[in-house]
Amino acid sequence: MAEAEEQETGSLEESTDESEEEESEEEPKLKYERLSNGVTEILQKDAASCMTVHDKFLALGTHYGKVYLLDVQGNITQKFDVSPVKINQISLDESGEHMGVCSEDGKVQVFGLYSGEEFHETFDCPIKIIAVHPHFVRSSCKQFVTGGKKLLLFERSWMNRWKSAVLHEGEGNIRSVKWRGHLIAWANNMGVKIFDIISKQRITNVPRDDISLRPDMYPCSLCWKDNVTLIIGWGTSVKVCSVKERHASEMRDLPSRYVEIVSQFETEFYISGLAPLCDQLVVLSYVKEISEKTEREYCARPRLDIIQPLSETCEEISSDALTVRGFQENECRDYHLEYSEGESLFYIVSPRDVVVAKERDQDDHIDWLLEKKKYEEALMAAEISQKNIKRHKILDIGLAYINHLVERGDYDIAARKCQKILGKNAALWEYEVYKFKEIGQLKAISPYLPRGDPVLKPLIYEMILHEFLESDYEGFATLIREWPGDLYNNSVIVQAVRDHLKKDSQNKTLLKTLAELYTYDKNYGNALEIYLTLRHKDVFQLIHKHNLFSSIKDKIVLLMDFDSEKAVDMLLDNEDKISIKKVVEELEDRPELQHVYLHKLFKRDHHKGQRYHEKQISLYAEYDRPNLLPFLRDSTHCPLEKALEICQQRNFVEETVYLLSRMGNSRSALKMIMEELHDVDKAIEFAKEQDDGELWEDLILYSIDKPPFITGLLNNIGTHVDPILLIHRIKEGMEIPNLRDSLVKILQDYNLQILLREGCKKILVADSLSLLKKMHRTQMKEENICESCLSPILPSDAAKPFSVVVFHCRHMFHKECLPMPSMNSAAQFCNICSAKNRGPGSAILEMKK
């Protein structure tokens, strides 16, 4: 028997957590454990009949009349032999220093646990209930009530004698009582009463609902939620009653308080106990079910429900079926529910078992999530409540989560979670990498490996690189690009790549990756050679970044072939590192590339490559004729004779015309335009540019027998040559296209010239007259003063003698203000005009008085 009970104890967590909906995903609100240690010993030989709970300890009564004081773990701290028969009820005051006990043989004891204070009384009938005043420790509150056939109130008088008073009788046995503050609630066969100890009045009577149930088999359960809220459970009915103050105008002969039922509802099963939980209720229910096989009624496991009371119904929050020892033989009256308000602990008491229900904490919540394999939610809950959890560690949950994902085949998610879970723990990272290697999933974890803090052993990174190199060249190249080169042994990986290139020497991905590895290893020459072979866009960046200009002096042709524009820009930007001469020499066998380079050089600076201008004439003629003429015009260093020779050989008329005109041979140039190009407009334009009368004469002579040319000349020479010269030379009878229009245009041009001349003449005359008037006004306004001392030239007193000198330039001086003439020349000159280099003005008038 004992062995069986041990097995039951070991499986309590599983059995008590089960419910009728075993597959439900809803998390339970409470957790359960069996109260063991001393309780196990007691219940092996005895049976629990009642229990009461204090914040500091527990008091357990048995069928053999014993009362045990227990700590919260169930260890026995004290034992009292009260009676040889069943203990019906135990009551403690709020301080936990006084205890009241009543038994089936009528014995009542109230005594101090830590003092000699004691009360003994034996009645002639069983005493079912006892309740001591909550503040019994106070001298003014030495009161308690007992109940059998009647409810008695005991009070200690001023002479330390106990006196009793009957509060109620005549309605059957008193079977339940609860004392809270100044209110005592009890239940008898007819209903529930509440008594006010201060006013000595009974303030309510709540009648029983289902009178068909035997009150001794289905006793009433009472509990106070607070000082004014009483919860009544009887049969399948629950009532929440609120004690309220009556208004003074309503009192008359009524009690000062009254009770209002604020909530009333029915439950599915019979109630064995009630307890408050915040604004909810914890209900212990006795369950009877009918067997499907025998169709007989049997006692099922009791249920502990958390419900939310509403006005006329309730909402079930959670429901657990509890496997307590001997539940098959228990009746409704055998179960009790006691609770500790301070810690929200609920004790389910049955004859053979005591189970403790606790509100689940965050650790329990995480346990449930892990059990349901909700690892991500468990990890999140642990992170949020990391200061409150005691049994769990975030890292352990995270590792379990990774293992779960791996087992499920979600390798990528598992690898991604490693970043967050493993953090900076290098040892764990390495451990997980080897686990992924064992299952052949190194590729999955590679994107998430730490690359800075922490840094793993080089072997780890090399292992992953080898894995990619064997099966995925693109992935291998990506890792080489993304991973810093100091994470692994570069030479080992270089050798591995070279070995693979022996099998596939033209693989561009491997070649490019090898170039990057050479770059990490500062072997820039080999890297550059590969980049050029691959014609890779990063070649120029590599050269600039690592200053590899000394390495590309013999690779200029390759660079130009790859991207001539970028290559030329780079070479010109770095003339100090690779000279123009060196570039031209390297490109000697590739004149088309040589031309591209020299052309760009000429565009930047017309003088830097002057030594190559002669060479450029041939290059332009061969590869870029459209830019030859602009080059000839802008260059001041190319030999004209050489250029003329090349242009004449290639029959480049426009270029030859330009060179002939630049060399002073305008007549030959004009002749070529007329004979080779047959373009009168260009010939006229050329003649205009040269502005040479002989050229116009040659042009007229050449055009005189060509009517189209005559039309062109008539239309264009009116402002440069007298049209009469051309008109007189036209042969009579020659047909000239559009002659009338041309003559009209000549006349219009002539009239326009006349109008322009007249207009300019009028403007000139008007401006001259305006300036003359302005000068005259200015001179008239000036006062005659001595230009030397700036005093009036004439004295204010006309009677005084004075002497004035006036020069031809109209400047006047006092004679005494002029310097004395030199001995060599007696002539005097105006000081002002001499100083301004206007030529000396000689004196024309000397006035004296």
Side-chain angles (χ1 to χ4, degrees), residues 308-362:
Q308 178 69 57
L310 303 174
S311 59
E312 295 182 357
T313 183
C314 66
E315 178 184 350
E316 183 182 282
I317 306 300
S318 73
S319 180
D320 299 317
L322 311 178
T323 303
V324 298
R325 294 189 184 104
F327 70 88
Q328 298 89 342
E329 293 88 27
N330 292 340
E331 298 290 340
C332 184
R333 64 184 177 182
D334 294 325
Y335 293 110
H336 306 280
L337 179 63
E338 301 293 336
Y339 68 99
S340 171
E341 292 185 21
E343 300 180 13
S344 294
L345 296 176
F346 304 93
Y347 295 85
I348 298 95
V349 183
S350 69
R352 300 288 307 284
D353 215 349
V354 179
V355 175
V356 185
K358 300 179 182 178
E359 279 194 278
R360 296 170 65 85
D361 58 17
Q362 200 64 18

Side-chain angles (χ1 to χ4, degrees), residues 385-412:
S385 307
Q386 55 183 324
K387 294 182 180 179
N388 299 324
I389 56 177
K390 299 175 183 177
R391 292 187 285 105
H392 290 284
K393 292 182 180 177
I394 294 175
L395 181 59
D396 293 340
I397 298 171
L399 292 174
Y401 186 21
I402 293 172
N403 291 336
H404 169 69
L405 291 170
V406 169
E407 290 171 4
R408 208 169 65 182
D410 293 331
Y411 304 115
D412 186 66

Side-chain angles (χ1 to χ4, degrees), residues 373-571:
K373 299 189 182 302
K374 298 182 178 182
Y375 291 94
E376 188 163 12
E377 293 179 37
L379 187 60
M380 189 181 303
E383 289 170 348
I384 293 171
S385 307
Q386 55 183 324
K387 294 182 180 179
N388 299 324
I389 56 177
K390 299 175 183 177
R391 292 187 285 105
H392 290 284
K393 292 182 180 177
I394 294 175
L395 181 59
D396 293 340
I397 298 171
L399 292 174
Y401 186 21
I402 293 172
N403 291 336
H404 169 69
L405 291 170
V406 169
E407 290 171 4
R408 208 169 65 182
D410 293 331
Y411 304 115
D412 186 66
I413 300 174
R416 197 181 325 131
K417 293 298 178 184
C418 286
Q419 280 186 309
K420 178 180 178 182
I421 293 165
L422 304 183
K424 298 182 179 182
N425 192 322
L428 280 177
W429 267 109
E430 291 171 5
Y431 175 76
E432 289 297 328
V433 170
Y434 281 112
K435 277 177 57 179
F436 273 78
K437 183 179 187 301
E438 289 174 6
I439 59 176
Q441 291 296 328
L442 279 176
K443 289 183 181 180
I445 200 170
S446 63
Y448 309 106
L449 281 186
R451 305 171 190 179
D453 184 16
V455 174
L456 310 184
K457 294 175 183 176
L459 181 62
I460 299 294
Y461 300 101
E462 291 166 17
M463 184 169 65
I464 292 174
L465 288 173
H466 279 292
E467 176 79 14
F468 273 93
L469 191 56
E470 292 298 327
S471 59
D472 183 2
Y473 288 162
E474 291 295 336
F476 174 76
T478 301
L479 290 184
I480 293 298
R481 254 192 328 271
E482 294 178 352
W483 285 0
D486 56 357
L487 292 179
Y488 46 85
N489 188 328
N490 201 62
S491 59
V492 172
I493 304 302
V494 167
Q495 188 57 49
V497 175
R498 292 175 67 177
D499 291 342
H500 276 263
L501 281 170
K502 290 176 183 177
K503 306 170 191 174
D504 186 5
S505 60
Q506 300 304 313
N507 189 291
K508 291 186 177 181
T509 302
L510 283 182
L511 285 169
K512 179 184 172 186
T513 307
L514 183 59
E516 291 176 0
L517 289 168
Y518 279 139
T519 303
Y520 294 147
D521 212 20
K522 298 185 179 179
N523 191 345
Y524 302 121
N526 287 342
L528 183 62
E529 191 170 337
I530 294 173
Y531 277 133
L532 286 172
T533 303
L534 294 174
R535 303 172 69 86
H536 194 273
K537 61 183 178 61
D538 290 343
V539 65
F540 297 102
Q541 182 182 351
L542 181 72
I543 295 168
H544 279 291
K545 186 175 181 180
H546 302 290
N547 197 21
L548 302 181
F549 296 99
S550 59
S551 302
I552 64 169
K553 289 182 178 179
D554 58 346
K555 298 179 177 64
I556 293 173
V557 174
L558 288 174
L559 287 169
M560 293 285 287
D561 278 336
F562 173 39
D563 190 330
S564 60
E565 186 173 347
K566 282 188 177 180
V568 169
D569 286 338
M570 180 187 71
L571 292 169

Side-chain angles (χ1 to χ4, degrees), residues 224-282:
W224 288 97
K225 181 179 179 181
D226 51 45
N227 287 344
V228 295
T229 305
L230 177 67
I231 304 169
I232 304 170
W234 207 336
T236 59
S237 171
V238 176
K239 295 177 181 177
V240 180
C241 305
S242 178
V243 179
K244 299 184 176 181
E245 297 289 337
R246 198 184 298 275
H247 195 272
S249 62
E250 299 175 352
M251 281 189 184
R252 301 175 188 169
D253 296 330
L254 299 174
S256 60
R257 294 183 177 185
Y258 68 99
V259 171
E260 179 182 333
I261 298 175
V262 295
S263 177
Q264 180 175 350
F265 52 88
E266 292 291 321
T267 62
E268 187 178 356
F269 306 107
Y270 299 109
I271 297 167
S272 294
L274 293 167
L277 177 62
C278 301
D279 61 338
Q280 298 170 342
L281 290 180
V282 179

Side-chain angles (χ1 to χ4, degrees), residues 598-614:
L598 290 173
H599 174 65
K600 200 99 178 227
L601 173 65
F602 181 75
K603 285 292 185 181
R604 286 200 180 189
D605 191 323
H606 293 347
H607 307 289
K608 269 190 179 178
Q610 64 185 34
R611 62 187 292 185
Y612 303 107
H613 283 197
E614 181 177 349

Side-chain angles (χ1 to χ4, degrees), residues 143 145 151 153 155 165-168 178-186 192-205 224 230 243 257 259:
Q143 297 173 313
V145 293
L151 184 67
L153 173 64
E155 294 182 276
V166 177
L167 297 183
H168 188 70
K178 292 292 178 182
W179 193 332
R180 179 74 173 247
H182 302 304
L183 300 175
I184 303 171
W186 72 92
V192 177
K193 281 77 176 171
I194 299 178
F195 184 81
D196 188 340
I197 200 72
I198 299 298
S199 64
K200 305 292 185 183
Q201 289 179 307
R202 195 175 73 189
I203 61 175
T204 192
N205 175 35
W224 288 97
L230 177 67
V243 179
R257 294 183 177 185
V259 171

